[in-house]
Amino acid sequence: MRALLPLGIFLLIGLAFAVGLTKDPKLLPSELLNRPVPEFALTELYDETDILTQDMFDGKVSLINVFGSWCVACNVEHPLLMDIAKQDNVHLIGIDWRDERSKAKDWLAKRGNPYRKVIFDNESVLAIKLGVTGAPESFIIDKAGQVRYKHVGVITPKIWRNTLLPIIKTLEAD
């Protein structure tokens, strides 16, 4: 019986890993859903005298996109964000996370800037409050400044068309 104990422990650990690996990390709920955007006061990327706060989300539906010049996946997502910005029907806000101001400006200068405003969060002040675990991540904020949806990972055309845009349109109609 004692000889079977290590095998039993091994099987329990294996079962725990097997169950854990069946979970899609993109489906992890955000603690902030249906709660206000956390309070913050951070500078705008291009204008260090412009202090941005959570009040910037009042009265309009917004899509917040967390990115960084160091983020490889953000390069994949960026052309779609540029297309979304051209449609001019989405209040798109960037959060430049864990970055250097000059590198972020250069990155956006090379790829284009789809954002109406870019919150500079080099010390993860807002990212921590939002529960950001990696970039890119995106949040939909309603007109009352409430977090209504969180998307982890790259926004693809299919995700934009089938998930994010319908949520945004529904919130705008409310």
Side-chain angles (χ1 to χ4, degrees), residues 39-45 47 49-56 93-94 117-120:
E39 290 185 12
F40 68 94
L42 294 167
T43 61
E44 208 278 337
L45 177 66
D47 181 0
T49 64
D50 187 5
I51 306 299
L52 304 175
T53 70
Q54 66 281 355
D55 295 336
M56 70 187 293
I93 302 294
K117 292 278 186 174
V118 180
I119 301 165
F120 184 61

Side-chain angles (χ1 to χ4, degrees), residues 43-161:
T43 61
E44 208 278 337
L45 177 66
Y46 293 98
D47 181 0
E48 294 180 49
T49 64
D50 187 5
I51 306 299
L52 304 175
T53 70
Q54 66 281 355
D55 295 336
M56 70 187 293
F57 302 111
D58 291 345
K60 55 188 132 314
V61 177
S62 302
L63 177 64
I64 300 175
N65 178 254
V66 179
F67 75 99
S69 65
W70 48 267
C71 169
V72 176
C74 297
N75 283 311
V76 174
E77 178 181 68
H78 200 77
L80 179 62
L81 295 177
M82 291 298 294
D83 289 343
I84 291 168
K86 287 177 191 168
Q87 296 168 18
D88 200 36
N89 60 353
V90 176
H91 189 249
L92 184 56
I93 302 294
I95 298 177
D96 180 34
W97 179 44
R98 294 176 32 197
D99 214 344
E100 294 176 31
R101 197 176 294 270
S102 61
K103 287 183 180 180
K105 287 179 182 178
D106 290 346
W107 191 84
L108 289 169
K110 288 177 188 169
R111 290 160 184 79
N113 183 359
Y115 307 108
R116 295 191 184 188
K117 292 278 186 174
V118 180
I119 301 165
F120 184 61
D121 192 15
N122 63 325
E123 294 181 6
S124 302
V125 171
L126 181 55
I128 288 170
K129 290 179 179 183
L130 288 170
V132 172
T133 58
E137 283 189 21
S138 299
F139 300 84
I140 296 175
I141 311 301
D142 70 13
K143 293 176 187 176
Q146 305 274 319
V147 177
R148 298 303 296 273
Y149 188 81
K150 178 180 179 178
H151 175 75
V152 177
V154 172
I155 298 173
T156 63
K158 182 179 178 183
I159 290 168
W160 172 248
R161 187 176 53 253

Side-chain angles (χ1 to χ4, degrees), residues 2-19:
R2 250 179 107 168
L4 294 177
L5 185 62
L7 178 61
I9 292 171
F10 176 76
L11 289 174
L12 284 174
I13 292 171
L15 180 63
F17 278 119
V19 169

